[in-house]
Amino acid sequence: MELYNYMGYELIEKIINKEITVSDLIQSTFDRIEATDNLLHSFINLSKDKALKKAKEYDIKIQKGKKVGKLCGLPLANKDLICLKGFPTTCCSKILKGYHPPYNAFVIERLVEQEGAIHIGNTNMDEFAMGSSTENSCYGPTFNPWDISRVPGGSSGGSAASIASGQTILALGSDTGGSIRCPASFCGVVGLKPTYGRISRYGLVAFANSLDQIGSITKCVYDSALLLEIMAGKDPLDSTSVNIKVDKYTAELKKSIDKKILGVPEEFFGEGVNNEVKSSVKNSIKKLESLGGTTVEVTIPHLEYTVATYYLLCMSEASSNLARYDGLRYGKMSQNLKGDVYDVFSRTRNEGLGTEVKRRIFLGTYALSAGYYDMYYIKALKVRTLIKKDFQEAYKKCDFIICPTMPSTAFKIGEKVDDPLQMYMDDVLTCPVNLAGLPAITIPCGFDSNDLPIGFQIIGNYFDEKGILNIGYQLEQELNIYRKTVPAIK
Amino acid sequence: MEKKEIISREKIEHLARLALIDLSEEEKVNISKQLNNILDYFQKLNELDTSNIKPTRHVIDGLKNVFREDIPGKSLTQEEALKNAREKQDGFFKAPRIIKE
């Protein structure tokens, strides 16, 4: 078996037992990238020399019996909006070309500096995380490893495609309305979006602050639990991070799910959801029942309002956040400096920002402008209250909510790119989780008739990552499809 | 049925000034069509009576203002802070002309 087909925790064991060296693993990672990335385009920037050098350092340390951290040199792919000191970080936007962050994000400090993951490169994404297909990148799209005529989902499409194809073992993503879970579902891998506040966002380039959360994309639930254990916790540099006990998530996975109450919300199985997706998810629900879970019907009556609410809020927040990009202190300023400061900034922003980003800034600016603020922005904040209440009511009756992650499997490249509203509708089952601030995980639960992966979503109550990882692990082991590899990439 | 135009051409130009994005003619036409479609969809929220509902600005209950002690800590050096700027002079960022000619 090739090294890239192993799970992260298995590779750690092999390294500790001296069956393989860190250099073997990192070299095989770059071999796999070189063999496949001309067709997948998961990565936009690699850090090969530095990574191989680091691997050698770790091998020497390991030989001498010294510690190299819990992650033992596993390769880590970073989404191109998480700051890594000295490494180009562009959010896949022309306006940030040439930007080299002067500091590390909190999660990079934890994973790379403290626990010994090796950064191998940055992955492709929709510009500023705005999209559900990774087609909005200024570097061009990423392709789905299960079928390269299809999108990998977005916005963390490069991270999900790199995990699915074995180009890396661990990957980071960010999730504002589904940007981890959508691509994880489309690429048949595990994606975890923790509770709002669970992981510090220091060093994450902001898109919509009240919704953004960092999370992981991995091949299996165990690896996901391992990364969360390392990343979770309070950070004084992110005032929204919360000081709540971090569980030993990996130790909780094998616990029985007997008597757990699983809520099934009928709205998440509506007419917009593909029949093959529904039947695969329902099949998994039966598996969970066979493991001792009890299902009950719950209801999220305001689900049909979540897409409008989500887009109004994220566009409003984005229009304010992205006002900082003027090319003055960092990034790419227009070559044409004619006129006054406003002329130069307006020209810089027109040249540097892509179509979807402009669309969202315009709508957000409109929703926040005098005379429309109450009608749109405040209205959406009020509906957000109703959506949050729906979940709180549901959790009076159940421990977890289980449903599909995406209404369909991966669609064709170009299929929705000219119809933004249709693309937005794809977030209907993921964005309510961000509006309520809850944790959720997606795990692959089956394949459709085109052999494309289907995602199963488990939504937990606040800060119950322990619970969703436990349910996810039990289902993953029962289904036993997580080792299925993508077809030959050609 | 012709959809009601919510955002006019003049409005787009006004928004372009507020957002500091200098759109081309073609983009103005495309964006205004799409924005009108999307805003039309957003009207869906008006089906809900929210007159007695409080807005949710922060989703996690119990978080209040977060303060820290006013103690000097490590921060970026001037050199690090200026490193990513294209135009700089005497330790400052150099901006385009602010006062009109």
Side-chain angles (χ1 to χ4, degrees):
Chain A
M1 191 158 98
E2 300 285 351
L3 286 184
Y4 58 75
N5 286 329
Y6 285 95
M7 303 295 126
Y9 69 91
E10 294 169 333
L11 291 165
I12 292 174
E13 264 183 43
K14 285 184 182 298
I15 291 166
I16 291 174
N17 296 337
K18 301 201 168 74
E19 285 170 53
I20 59 165
T21 64
V22 179
S23 299
D24 293 338
L25 176 58
I26 298 297
Q27 186 58 53
S28 80
T29 299
F30 283 105
D31 291 346
R32 179 70 176 157
I33 292 171
E34 271 148 38
T36 54
D37 213 43
N38 57 334
L39 290 172
L40 296 180
H41 194 228
S42 312
F43 286 90
I44 53 154
N45 244 317
L46 292 171
S47 184
K48 187 174 175 181
D49 294 344
K50 215 179 145 195
L52 286 167
K53 203 173 141 230
K54 199 86 201 162
K56 270 193 193 135
E57 276 175 42
Y58 285 171
D59 283 330
I60 292 168
K61 275 192 170 175
I62 291 168
Q63 262 178 359
K64 289 183 179 164
K66 286 188 189 157
K67 287 204 163 133
V68 292
K70 284 182 197 153
L71 296 174
C72 281
L74 291 191
L76 173 75
N78 181 39
K79 187 176 179 181
D80 197 41
L81 46 40
I82 296 176
C83 290
L84 209 141
K85 191 172 177 177
F87 193 78
T89 303
T90 68
C91 302
C92 292
S93 178
K94 276 194 281 187
I95 208 160
L96 274 174
K97 279 215 170 144
Y99 176 59
H100 291 71
Y103 65 96
N104 278 334
F106 177 87
V107 292
I108 297 293
E109 280 294 321
R110 285 270 176 103
L111 297 173
V112 176
E113 301 299 326
Q114 283 180 30
E115 298 301 345
I118 293 181
H119 171 246
I120 55 163
N122 277 11
T123 53
N124 201 13
M125 56 184 272
D126 288 297
E127 184 177 1
F128 285 107
M130 298 180 188
S132 312
S133 68
T134 313
E135 292 169 291
N136 297 333
S137 162
C138 79
Y139 304 100
T142 294
F143 302 90
N144 191 314
W146 293 93
D147 173 352
I148 58 171
S149 70
R150 293 176 189 270
V151 302
S155 68
S156 313
S159 286
S162 68
I163 289 288
S165 61
Q167 294 175 328
T168 185
I169 303 299
L170 308 171
L172 283 170
S174 65
D175 192 313
T176 305
S179 279
I180 286 174
R181 289 161 290 152
C182 161
S185 174
F186 281 6
C187 291
V189 292
V190 175
L192 174 68
K193 174 232 160 315
T195 310
Y196 184 81
R198 185 43 115 181
I199 295 178
S200 166
R201 297 173 298 164
Y202 178 68
L204 168 74
V205 177
F207 156 21
N209 310 60
S210 83
L211 301 155
D212 296 340
Q213 187 57 62
I214 292 177
S216 64
I217 298 179
T218 55
K219 292 194 223 188
C220 64
V221 177
Y222 191 98
D223 290 352
S224 183
L226 181 62
L227 289 186
L228 185 65
E229 247 167 57
I230 296 169
M231 295 192 288
K234 172 76 183 162
D235 171 18
L237 294 172
D238 175 359
S239 61
T240 61
S241 66
V242 178
N243 196 7
I244 284 182
K245 183 176 161 263
V246 176
D247 296 294
K248 181 113 175 77
Y249 301 110
T250 48
E252 307 279 346
L253 300 174
K254 292 186 178 146
K255 286 197 173 158
S256 161
I257 63 163
D258 196 30
K259 309 231 163 48
K260 296 281 185 216
I261 302 173
L262 310 167
V264 183
E266 53 170 341
E267 297 87 355
F268 283 66
F269 295 80
E271 58 181 87
V273 181
N274 171 294
N275 283 332
E276 289 188 77
V277 170
K278 276 187 219 175
S279 87
S280 173
V281 168
K282 284 189 173 156
N283 180 44
S284 289
I285 292 175
K286 287 202 188 93
K287 298 265 182 200
L288 287 172
E289 284 172 331
S290 75
L291 292 168
T294 308
T295 51
V296 294
E297 279 182 29
V298 293
T299 176
I300 304 292
H302 294 96
L303 184 73
E304 61 178 301
Y305 300 99
T306 56
V307 170
T309 305
Y310 167 72
Y311 274 93
L312 267 168
L313 294 178
C314 79
M315 287 168 171
S316 299
E317 293 185 33
S319 75
S320 163
N321 264 323
L322 270 63
R324 75 190 70 180
Y325 300 109
D326 52 28
L328 184 66
R329 288 146 300 154
Y330 42 77
K332 194 169 179 293
M333 192 183 275
S334 174
Q335 294 293 330
N336 177 356
L337 297 176
K338 262 186 17 206
D340 67 15
V341 67
Y342 298 113
D343 296 329
V344 178
F345 285 176
S346 297
R347 204 177 295 126
T348 294
R349 287 162 64 77
N350 187 44
E351 291 169 8
L353 299 172
T355 309
E356 178 61 24
V357 175
K358 285 180 199 167
R359 204 151 41 218
R360 295 198 190 188
I361 291 177
F362 269 72
L363 265 168
T365 304
Y366 179 71
L368 292 178
S369 63
Y372 301 96
Y373 180 77
D374 287 328
M375 194 198 301
Y376 290 108
Y377 181 67
I378 298 294
K379 180 81 187 180
L381 286 177
K382 288 178 170 181
V383 181
R384 185 178 193 177
T385 305
L386 296 174
I387 293 161
K388 187 182 166 182
K389 274 191 181 152
D390 283 356
F391 279 100
Q392 286 172 318
E393 284 302 311
Y395 283 118
K396 286 179 185 167
K397 286 198 237 159
C398 65
D399 302 315
F400 303 96
I401 290 172
I402 50 175
C403 55
T405 308
M406 295 299 292
S408 72
T409 53
F411 48 86
K412 293 268 186 191
I413 297 266
E415 192 179 320
K416 299 188 180 179
V417 86
D418 294 324
D419 188 349
L421 199 51
Q422 203 199 343
M423 188 86 90
Y424 299 168
M425 294 303 177
D426 277 340
D427 298 343
V428 62
L429 308 180
T430 48
C431 74
V433 174
N434 302 74
L435 288 169
L438 296 162
I441 191 168
T442 178
I443 75 159
C445 67
F447 294 84
D448 72 0
S449 45
N450 291 318
D451 222 13
L452 297 168
I454 296 167
F456 186 92
Q457 184 169 226
I458 306 156
I459 307 169
N461 210 334
Y462 293 99
F463 300 101
D464 190 16
E465 284 81 5
K466 182 173 78 178
I468 58 174
L469 286 161
N470 177 216
I471 305 277
Y473 181 82
Q474 294 297 331
L475 180 60
E476 174 188 81
Q477 298 301 310
E478 181 68 19
L479 291 169
N480 201 22
I481 54 169
Y482 66 106
R483 287 185 194 273
K484 182 167 172 174
T485 54
V486 297
I489 293 159
K490 55 181 189 226
Chain B
M1 195 181 79
E2 188 70 13
K3 277 182 184 157
K4 198 178 121 221
E5 191 180 63
I6 306 169
I7 295 193
S8 64
R9 169 67 184 237
E10 291 73 41
K11 191 80 205 169
I12 288 286
E13 283 172 2
H14 177 60
L15 291 173
R17 281 193 298 278
L18 287 176
L20 286 179
I21 297 177
D22 182 22
L23 294 183
S24 68
E25 276 311 303
E26 196 193 338
E27 282 177 307
K28 279 180 198 166
V29 175
N30 285 339
I31 275 207
S32 76
K33 203 165 74 193
Q34 287 162 345
L35 294 204
N36 278 309
N37 272 335
I38 296 166
L39 279 168
D40 189 58
Y41 174 71
F42 288 170
Q43 306 302 319
K44 187 171 173 57
L45 297 188
N46 293 329
E47 293 168 11
L48 295 169
D49 176 9
T50 51
S51 43
N52 295 317
I53 307 291
K54 282 191 181 152
T56 295
R57 292 169 196 274
H58 184 82
V59 81
I60 302 298
D61 295 331
L63 191 69
K64 296 267 159 41
N65 277 334
V66 179
F67 296 107
R68 64 169 172 82
E69 292 301 312
D70 188 14
I71 303 167
K74 221 179 88 187
S75 62
L76 296 182
T77 62
Q78 189 181 38
E79 193 192 345
E80 285 171 321
L82 285 167
K83 207 174 169 189
N84 279 291
R86 190 177 73 179
E87 303 268 344
K88 52 207 153 187
Q89 192 180 319
D90 307 327
F92 293 98
F93 295 109
K94 195 172 168 188
R97 174 180 281 275
I98 289 174
I99 298 162
K100 290 212 188 266
E101 283 178 81

